[in-house]
Amino acid sequence: MRRLRHLASQHRTAATNRLLGGLLAFNAGAINAGGFLVVGMYTSHMTGFASMLADNLVLGNITLVLGALGTVLAFTIGAGTTAILVNWARQHHLRSEYALPLLVEALLLLVFGLIGAALNRQTPFAVPLTVLVLAFTMGLQNALVTKISASQIRTTHMTGVITDLGIELGKLFYMNRQDSPLESRVRANRVKLRLYGSLLGAFVGGGLVGATGFRYVGFIWVLPLALLLLALSLPPLVADLVRPRHRHP
């Protein structure tokens, strides 16, 4: 429990990065799979939307072009919002530099869970507002984990994770020659293997939970996810309120 209270703090370790990455991968998997059941689109990664934008520009389908453009813009603005919040907190010497984006994500998920059905209106981008909210949220989260882990961990899409997992598995099963020098032998990084395997497992597990919840409960199913993020973000925020700010020399 003590580690959970410090997952969003400014002082990072490899262990806290891995644990936070796993929790957020679970969160992204749940939102991605559950959101698909609600809006018919996966919103945690932008590859498909970028391809949709290009394809439909050629085909002249302006409605789909607008939908793809709006979703990509929402994701991009979400990532940019994280950069603004983190750098603003750093400039003001706050302990909650990583907690602020989590707080925004938690509040958006609370809104989504409580009034999600009302958000299912079309926007000028020819997609429901729910799609834009989910894409913004995933951009926010992906940028946060990218900054925390120095680009080593991704949580909202698994293409890079599965690629890295495959590379390490290839090293693991590589047959080194018996007479080759020890320093030249191919070895798998077992720490990375565990990290990538746990991220993939968390994303898939979150997808199962999210799809089940959205199917049988509906929008309100995201409330436990929102409350988890809220619990992660509050300790650093409270620390900023009750303790003097740490001034860097």
Side-chain angles (χ1 to χ4, degrees), residues 4-17:
L4 289 175
R5 290 199 303 270
H6 296 285
L7 281 183
S9 67
Q10 65 184 151
H11 301 294
R12 310 305 307 166
T13 66
T16 56
N17 285 347

Side-chain angles (χ1 to χ4, degrees), residues 1 17 22 28 39 41 44 114 117 122 127 129 133-134 160 167 173 176 184 195 197 201 203 216 230:
M1 288 301 294
N17 285 347
V39 298
M41 296 181 182
S44 72
L114 293 172
Q122 290 293 106
V127 292
L129 186 57
V133 170
L134 291 177
I167 290 172
F173 293 108
N176 289 290
S184 66
L195 171 62
F203 189 90
Y216 294 107
L230 196 61

Side-chain angles (χ1 to χ4, degrees), residues 8 40-41 43 83 87 90 116 124-125 160 167 178 185 191 239 245 248:
M41 296 181 182
T43 54
N87 287 295
R90 284 177 180 172
F125 288 105
I167 290 172
Q178 293 295 324
R185 293 188 178 185
V191 173
R245 296 178 187 177
H248 297 287

Side-chain angles (χ1 to χ4, degrees), residues 8 16 24 40 94 125 134 144 153 163 172 222 245:
T16 56
L24 292 182
L94 300 179
F125 288 105
L134 291 177
L144 172 65
I153 297 176
T163 300
L172 182 67
V222 302
R245 296 178 187 177

Side-chain angles (χ1 to χ4, degrees), residues 7-9 12 17 20-21 24 27 75 78-87 90 96-106 136-156 229 232-233:
L7 281 183
S9 67
R12 310 305 307 166
N17 285 347
L20 181 62
L24 292 182
N27 180 65
F75 191 96
T81 300
T82 286
I84 291 171
L85 291 173
V86 169
N87 287 295
R90 284 177 180 172
S96 54
E97 59 185 88
Y98 298 125
L100 287 172
L102 281 180
L103 177 64
V104 174
E105 183 177 357
F136 177 91
T137 302
M138 290 294 93
L140 193 82
Q141 175 179 308
N142 200 48
L144 172 65
V145 178
T146 299
K147 290 185 75 67
I148 283 176
S149 67
S151 302
Q152 293 182 353
I153 297 176
R154 296 283 198 269
T155 61
T156 65
L229 296 180
L232 294 177
S233 65

Side-chain angles (χ1 to χ4, degrees), residues 62-75:
I62 301 303
T63 299
L64 292 179
V65 168
L66 287 175
L69 178 62
T71 307
V72 170
L73 283 175
F75 191 96

Side-chain angles (χ1 to χ4, degrees), residues 31-32 37 48 55 57 60 71 106-107 112 114-115 131 135 147 171 182-183 194 216 247:
I31 292 173
N32 197 45
L37 294 183
D55 290 344
L57 274 172
T71 307
L107 294 177
F112 181 81
L114 293 172
I115 59 172
V131 174
K147 290 185 75 67
K171 292 179 182 179
L182 290 176
E183 63 274 11
R194 290 192 295 271
Y216 294 107
R247 295 285 180 180

